[in-house]
Amino acid sequence: PGVGHFGATAALDAAWRVTFREELRERHFGVFQGALLDGSDPARLAEYRRRAANPHDSFDGGESLFDHDRRVARMLAEIETAHATGTVLILAHGGTNSLILRHLLGIELQTARQIRQRNDEIYAVERRATGVQLYEWRNGGFATIESSTLLRAPLAEVVAL
């Protein structure tokens, strides 16, 4: 099925099999989990930024970016094996979505870190024999976009985890 099937309806048909996968949860940020890093505690914000720059840092009991990426890659491989044909809908949070896009589009981890998905953005990825086509939901339908459109400047001062 093509991308047109995505836009046909927002409701889940009873024939769809919905599966919740723990492996597609958001990254755990350890000591920063649930913290609002709005600059009111400059030292804490500086520590988060310093540590977030290291993809191996698990934030004292959380999960490193590399671990999160490996978890998402394993889950995508499992999904691809189970659903070699047809349409698969994956709903996840922004950090996990950027890693899903990283693997589907074949982009580097450091590049994927620049993806900032807004709450109102929906992407569709269509695999073809000639490569991958990326679409974004706009004005009631999907429009073709380039993967470079996803890359945005890093968040400025406010980071909510």
Side-chain angles (χ1 to χ4, degrees):
V3 171
H5 293 293
F6 291 112
T9 179
L12 286 176
D13 186 312
W16 284 58
R17 184 177 54 125
V18 178
T19 306
F20 296 93
R21 300 303 303 249
E22 175 68 16
E23 297 89 343
L24 292 176
R25 75 184 185 297
E26 188 57 273
R27 179 180 174 192
H28 190 288
F29 286 91
V31 296
F32 297 103
Q33 190 74 21
L36 178 61
L37 302 171
D38 63 356
S40 59
D41 183 346
R44 187 166 175 85
L45 178 60
E47 180 188 4
Y48 169 75
R49 286 184 173 161
R50 178 184 57 78
R51 294 182 69 180
N54 177 0
H56 297 283
D57 194 327
S58 63
F59 302 113
D60 303 329
E63 182 176 33
S64 76
L65 179 61
F66 281 134
D67 289 340
H68 186 199
D69 185 56
R70 280 192 292 271
R71 174 169 50 84
V72 168
R74 282 191 307 269
M75 187 72 260
L76 284 176
E78 212 174 288
I79 290 169
E80 289 173 338
T81 298
H83 304 280
T85 62
T87 301
V88 175
L89 173 66
I90 300 174
L91 301 174
H93 288 277
T96 298
N97 284 346
S98 67
L99 296 176
I100 291 169
L101 288 168
R102 161 186 148 55
H103 291 286
L104 294 177
L105 300 174
I107 60 177
E108 295 295 322
L109 181 59
Q110 291 302 329
T111 302
R113 293 178 83 176
Q114 298 174 46
I115 297 173
R116 301 285 187 253
Q117 183 179 6
R118 295 184 299 266
N119 288 335
D120 64 345
E121 289 181 320
I122 300 172
Y123 302 116
V125 178
E126 184 177 31
R127 290 202 161 171
R128 301 175 176 174
T130 57
V132 175
Q133 181 60 61
L134 180 64
Y135 302 87
E136 180 181 27
W137 183 262
R138 292 186 198 150
N139 304 318
F142 278 98
T144 303
I145 62 170
E146 296 298 320
S147 59
S148 60
T149 309
L150 301 173
L151 308 180
R152 300 191 175 103
L155 296 177
E157 291 299 316
V158 178
V159 179
L161 304 177

